Amino acid sequence: MFDYRKVTLWIAAAALPCLVAAQASPEVPAAIATPDKTETRIGTLEFRDGVPSVETTERVLDTLTFTRALEAFNNSFRGASAYAIRQGLHSIGAKDNDVVLFSELMDANSLFLTANADTVYYMAAVDLSKGPMVLEQPSMGLGTINDMWFNWVIDVGFPGPDRGEGGKYLLVPPEYEGSLPEGGYFIAQAKTNHLLYAARTYLVNNDPKPAVANIKKALKIYPYTPGGHGTSIATALEGKVRLGKNPPAPETRFIEASGKAFNTIPPSDFSFFEMVNANLQNEPAGSFDVELAGQLAAFDIVRGKPFKPDARTKKILSDAAAVGNATGRLLNWRWPLAHPDWAYYPNSMWGNMLWQGGAFFETPPPQFTRDGMFKPYPSTGARTLDSRTAFYFAYTLDSPGMIMRIPDVGSQYLMGFTDSDGQPFDGAKTYRVTLPKNIPAAKFWSLTAYDNQTRSMLATPQRYPRAGSQSYPTPAAKPSRDGSTTIYFSPQQPRDVDRGNWIQTTPGKGWFTILRLYSPLEPFFTKQWRAGEIELVR
């Protein structure tokens, strides 16, 4: 007879070693084990059976604060820069919705990141906190509107929907629930309560006066009247909006800025974070990405909350600002070491970080085909963080119009931070660059020198540190017999060099330069034409 009890006992006995083995501790893989001591770049980290010591805890907390602060500095420099521009405009008496105008062009008196002395600038900080605002854009302009984190809102002028003919733009604040017109406006939705409007226009026959007169005649900024122009009676019959009549547009208040000394550049010390906090407090929650909000919140920069860091945190933030400043500088002055792919030509010191990820720092700008269509590149889905950091550290405002491959439209830029041997420029020495004949710019071209410290126009007795094909505000550069044009950079005008072919530098002041091509032509994009390298003469 089959004995079930014996079988059961036999099975239990056989399973006992397995049960004992299951209760024993498994071997811990070395990759997941934490030793009692670990040597790292932040020092020796100590643990007791995986639990960090008090000293290690404090060291890692400080490192986390520093890391987040460094990332926040790099990622929010754009916000601090936008705020600094608005504050700079206020500092010369311009209120929000006033227009700051450089009738005699911008010069080295204004601390403004890589502005130029080629075109007439006009700009404003626009306040949307009380409702939508109308911007009447003049003809013959080109510019953009960004929010207070330098997020692109809409282009105006030649790259915008008015295509240089001028027109009315309706700027709508975040979470606006009122009625909008059916037509008559180019409508742009903002994420922040304030916007930066920046535009420029070309000289007319080498004279800024006609351009300035056109701006003063046409440019207006004023509140939108719901139910007025652009709203049909049929829409009003639906009962969602009361018919209104547009009141006369108020006179635009222009603030002259040519020759005025004022600052629009963020600091690179602890006060940077105070500036970012001030900007954040002015704008709605959600007006910038949640990752950046989290980085700022890690050291109590939070909307609606006072920013009062203790001495320890303040010291860490100061260190992070110093390293952030170094980051922006290495990504500009030393980009060939960090990103050789930013070179515009092979083995060249001329570069531009925007070609890597386009205006939105993700995907290169689309190709422009001969039949007038665009051929976009596939989305990379990854932010080009270094190109974004480099761009906002030395340049301002953002627009797809700044980096596109369309011949005879907009402008293109090549940045030169070092000479042909990779050495930074010395203001006491003499350099030269030769641009081959047929410079590919339908309108005009220019070279401008900038101060390494301020990233603004280099201050010298010349006032306008530029050379180019325009004869204002400095004499036009003269080409050589072979059609090429050579420009010199030096403290004193070299013998036998025309005034228009010389940009003055200052001993003891480092500098860099930008080559601008206005309405660039196809040989620039195909690289059939290549700018010469900047060479040390003596």
Side-chain angles (χ1 to χ4, degrees):
M1 185 176 179
F2 191 77
D3 192 336
Y4 287 99
R5 288 179 301 172
K6 288 183 178 180
V7 172
T8 301
L9 290 171
W10 179 81
I11 293 173
L16 185 60
C18 297
L19 292 172
V20 172
Q23 293 173 359
S25 298
E27 184 177 346
V28 178
I32 68 171
T34 299
D36 290 344
K37 287 188 178 182
T38 303
E39 299 298 331
T40 73
R41 66 185 306 139
I42 65 170
T44 302
L45 304 183
E46 297 182 343
F47 303 86
R48 182 174 181 180
D49 194 23
V51 178
S53 67
V54 172
E55 293 79 7
T56 293
T57 298
E58 291 175 347
R59 181 171 293 175
V60 173
L61 283 175
D62 284 356
T63 302
L64 279 174
T65 302
F66 174 83
T67 302
R68 287 165 177 160
L70 176 60
E71 289 297 308
F73 183 96
N74 292 332
N75 293 336
S76 67
F77 199 92
R78 52 201 169 112
S81 188
Y83 187 83
I85 290 176
R86 181 169 174 249
Q87 292 300 101
L89 302 185
H90 289 175
S91 73
I92 57 171
K95 300 177 181 178
D96 288 344
N97 308 323
D98 290 343
V99 176
V100 171
L101 176 63
F102 292 83
S103 297
E104 297 180 12
L105 309 187
M106 194 182 295
D107 61 22
N109 284 299
S110 304
L111 294 181
F112 217 107
L113 292 176
T114 53
N116 67 65
D118 303 323
T119 56
V120 177
Y121 279 100
Y122 51 104
M123 60 190 68
V126 182
D127 183 2
L128 305 182
S129 62
K130 296 180 177 62
M133 297 291 289
V134 177
L135 166 69
E136 294 192 14
Q137 167 66 23
S139 62
M140 305 304 293
L142 64 160
T144 192
I145 297 174
N146 279 196
D147 71 14
M148 293 305 291
W149 298 95
F150 276 161
N151 292 310
W152 178 69
V153 177
I154 194 170
D155 283 333
V156 299
F158 287 113
D162 72 269
R163 303 297 290 274
E165 296 181 6
K168 292 183 178 181
Y169 288 76
L170 183 60
L171 309 177
V172 183
E175 301 179 4
Y176 176 72
E177 297 181 353
S179 66
L180 293 174
E182 302 155 57
Y185 299 88
F186 304 114
I187 298 177
Q189 179 72 53
K191 291 183 178 180
T192 57
N193 293 326
H194 303 87
L195 298 176
L196 292 177
Y197 160 66
R200 52 199 167 120
T201 190
Y202 300 128
L203 309 187
V204 180
N205 296 322
N206 290 300
D207 185 356
K209 293 184 182 64
V212 170
N214 183 47
I215 293 167
K216 288 186 172 180
K217 178 182 177 181
L219 177 54
K220 298 183 185 302
I221 301 175
Y222 54 88
Y224 169 65
T225 301
H229 173 78
T231 300
S232 68
I233 294 177
T235 297
L237 292 175
E238 297 174 0
K240 296 179 180 179
V241 60
R242 178 185 299 173
L243 281 177
K245 185 176 181 180
N246 288 40
E251 285 294 317
T252 305
R253 185 168 178 256
F254 289 95
I255 306 298
E256 180 56 54
S258 289
K260 289 187 177 180
F262 64 104
N263 178 38
T264 67
I265 302 173
S268 292
D269 57 15
F270 170 74
S271 62
F272 170 90
F273 293 101
E274 293 177 313
M275 183 171 283
V276 169
N277 178 65
N279 192 36
L280 181 144
Q281 300 301 335
N282 274 347
E283 307 303 337
S287 63
F288 58 103
D289 62 83
V290 294
E291 291 292 332
L292 176 55
Q295 290 166 359
L296 295 171
F299 35 87
D300 283 340
I301 295 183
V302 178
R303 194 170 190 276
K305 183 176 180 179
F307 175 52
K308 295 181 178 179
D310 58 27
R312 185 175 187 172
T313 302
K314 188 173 180 178
K315 172 65 169 63
I316 294 172
L317 297 184
S318 299
D319 289 348
V323 178
N325 174 61
T327 303
R329 290 181 177 278
L330 82 86
L331 291 174
N332 278 285
W333 279 264
R334 299 296 189 184
W335 63 261
L337 299 177
H339 283 281
D341 53 311
W342 290 356
Y344 192 66
Y345 309 107
N347 303 313
S348 175
M349 294 302 164
W350 290 111
N352 187 325
M353 73 291 292
L354 290 178
W355 292 106
Q356 182 187 32
F360 304 124
F361 307 100
E362 180 186 339
T363 302
Q367 291 285 353
F368 187 69
T369 62
R370 291 191 175 274
D371 60 0
M373 297 294 288
F374 288 98
K375 184 179 179 182
Y377 287 95
S379 172
T380 65
R383 190 77 66 207
T384 57
L385 295 175
D386 281 356
S387 64
R388 186 175 72 176
T389 296
F391 179 78
Y392 287 121
F393 186 79
Y395 316 91
T396 62
L397 297 152
D398 194 11
S399 160
M402 295 181 67
I403 191 73
M404 55 188 178
R405 306 176 197 268
I406 310 175
D408 203 20
V409 175
S411 51
Q412 286 300 328
Y413 313 86
L414 292 179
M415 295 76 159
F417 286 89
T418 59
D419 66 17
S420 57
D421 293 323
Q423 296 302 312
F425 299 117
D426 183 338
K429 296 180 179 179
T430 298
Y431 301 84
R432 70 181 169 212
V433 60
T434 297
L435 305 178
K437 66 178 181 179
N438 300 323
I439 298 172
K443 292 193 181 299
F444 62 96
W445 63 269
S446 75
L447 280 160
T448 304
Y450 296 97
D451 185 316
N452 280 354
Q453 290 287 358
T454 65
R455 293 94 77 201
S456 303
M457 280 189 272
L458 186 66
T460 70
Q462 274 187 333
R463 183 180 180 187
Y464 301 105
R466 67 171 295 280
S469 55
Q470 287 188 154
S471 61
Y472 185 92
T474 60
K478 295 181 180 179
S480 304
R481 289 183 179 180
D482 64 0
S484 66
T485 304
T486 300
I487 304 298
Y488 287 80
F489 301 83
S490 60
Q492 302 297 326
Q493 185 173 346
R495 183 180 298 178
D496 300 327
V497 171
D498 288 301
R499 169 62 185 84
N501 294 65
W502 169 58
I503 299 175
Q504 190 172 28
T505 59
T506 301
K509 273 284 181 187
W511 57 273
F512 66 98
T513 189
I514 297 178
L515 171 63
R516 288 178 168 87
L517 303 175
Y518 293 88
S519 294
L521 299 176
E522 190 170 351
F524 171 76
F525 297 104
T526 62
K527 302 181 184 177
Q528 256 181 308
W529 182 89
R530 172 172 174 160
E533 301 297 305
I534 303 177
E535 301 172 332
L536 174 65
V537 177
R538 58 179 180 275

